[in-house]
Amino acid sequence: MKVRIGIAPPPGDTPVHLAGLAERAEALGIDSLWLSEIVHGPAVEPMVGMAYALAATRRLKVGTGVAILPGRHPVRVAKQLASLAALAPKRVLPAFGLTPARPAEREAFPVPGPRGAVFDESLELLRLLLRQERVTFHGEFFTVENAGVGPLPAKPLDIWVGGSGERALRRAGRLADGWLASFLTPDQAAAGRTAIAAHAVEAGREIEADHYGTSLAVAATEIPASAIDAIARRNPGADPAEIVPVGWAAARDLIERFVEAGITKFVVRPAAPVPSAERWLDEFAGHLMPLQS
């Protein structure tokens, strides 16, 4: 299985730094750059940032890690992704989630029904639009007649999803091409992988063996309070040391444990703002890129 390790911008980073971050990542041979959905703050909007970073580079893959799909119309999302794939072939990595990590941001993504059901239907329609030249679809929440967003990618885009609850794992197996987890221990990620694979089999599908990933925040000297609070909300009872490594040696060890658990794609970010993003990237490249296969 291919182990690939990408990066995400440091917390609180502003759009003005994105081009430099992407260019430096490409110069170092880093696999990918991933942009999160944070509405109330300085972070770049992920779809806009993906387009900008792709235009600033020639080889770097860029993804959303993760963007919120319910609250975006799937036809417009399909059009955006098809356009990006035409402009930057084989470098667009969309991953979507159910709801913003910050509860106050949910109002920015209004949905026409139960959020989980809207997500499922959105994924179904999105996949059709990115695989068929013309689509007619009559769902509970969306209806389109003879819609097309082409030209379509020569190879259909892989659509990944996040989430770790039972419904999220079922969604990943039934409707997605990959899974990008967060705030899980290696054992929990292994259990999630097993569940997703089983749901895929039930649906007559198969998720590629190296299409299971996780986001990983790396702390410099100690786990910041913000990360501890996030873990308490997202994974109550989990040991923060099992989720946020302190230092590069601990990060290497944790990634190796995840790989043993069947997780092979990683999105690594600083757990807190850093004095120099360029220095952090250099350290990342020296310590973690050798783990790739």
Side-chain angles (χ1 to χ4, degrees):
M1 294 189 295
K2 293 181 180 178
V3 176
R4 293 291 182 266
I5 308 176
I7 59 152
D13 213 19
T14 63
V16 71
H17 297 135
L18 181 60
L21 186 73
E23 291 166 357
R24 182 61 180 165
E26 178 157 89
L28 290 169
I30 291 173
D31 176 72
S32 52
L33 169 66
W34 299 77
L35 304 172
S36 298
E37 185 89 75
I38 302 174
V39 179
H40 300 164
V44 67
E45 196 280 334
M47 301 295 281
V48 172
M50 186 160 55
Y52 188 81
L54 288 167
T57 57
R58 292 293 176 267
R59 298 178 304 279
L60 183 72
K61 291 176 282 187
V62 185
T64 58
V66 298
I68 305 306
L69 184 56
R72 287 183 165 97
H73 198 290
V75 175
R76 293 192 63 192
V77 175
K79 181 66 176 182
Q80 291 172 322
L81 292 176
S83 298
L84 288 172
L87 295 167
K90 301 180 180 179
R91 297 201 289 137
V92 179
L93 306 175
F96 294 106
L98 173 67
T99 188
R102 301 178 179 185
E105 296 180 0
R106 288 185 63 150
E107 62 186 18
F109 301 92
V111 295
R115 190 171 289 272
V118 172
F119 192 10
D120 290 350
E121 190 169 301
S122 297
L123 278 172
E124 184 180 357
L125 178 53
L126 178 64
R127 289 176 62 87
L128 289 172
L129 289 162
L130 290 173
R131 286 163 170 76
Q132 298 180 14
E133 291 187 1
R134 311 304 299 182
V135 173
T136 294
F137 182 90
H138 299 277
E140 183 178 358
F141 310 109
F142 303 103
T143 297
V144 298
E145 296 285 347
N146 200 31
V149 297
L152 300 178
K155 179 182 181 298
L157 289 177
D158 287 331
I159 307 297
W160 290 41
V161 297
S164 55
E166 175 53 35
R167 183 160 185 173
L169 299 177
R170 187 182 307 114
R171 178 181 299 118
R174 290 180 54 249
L175 297 170
D177 301 297
W179 181 49
L180 185 63
S182 60
F183 294 105
L184 296 183
T185 67
D187 288 344
Q188 290 171 329
R193 186 189 191 283
T194 298
I196 290 168
H199 288 306
V201 170
E202 291 172 359
R205 307 178 65 240
E206 181 180 4
I207 308 295
E208 292 186 36
D210 61 355
H211 279 203
Y212 296 88
T214 190
S215 295
L216 194 67
V218 178
T221 56
E222 62 181 4
I223 302 175
S226 59
I228 293 174
D229 291 343
I231 293 167
R233 292 195 309 271
R234 302 278 294 277
N235 192 353
D239 180 1
E242 286 277 291
I243 296 173
V244 180
V246 178
W248 293 114
R252 287 179 60 95
D253 291 344
L254 188 56
I255 287 174
E256 288 173 348
R257 290 179 56 201
F258 272 113
V259 172
E260 291 174 0
I263 306 301
T264 61
K265 298 294 186 285
F266 299 90
V267 179
V268 176
R269 68 186 188 278
V274 294
S276 168
E278 183 171 322
R279 181 183 305 166
W280 186 87
L281 285 176
D282 289 344
E283 293 175 354
F284 164 89
H287 289 278
L288 298 188
M289 284 178 62
L291 296 176
Q292 296 188 135
S293 59

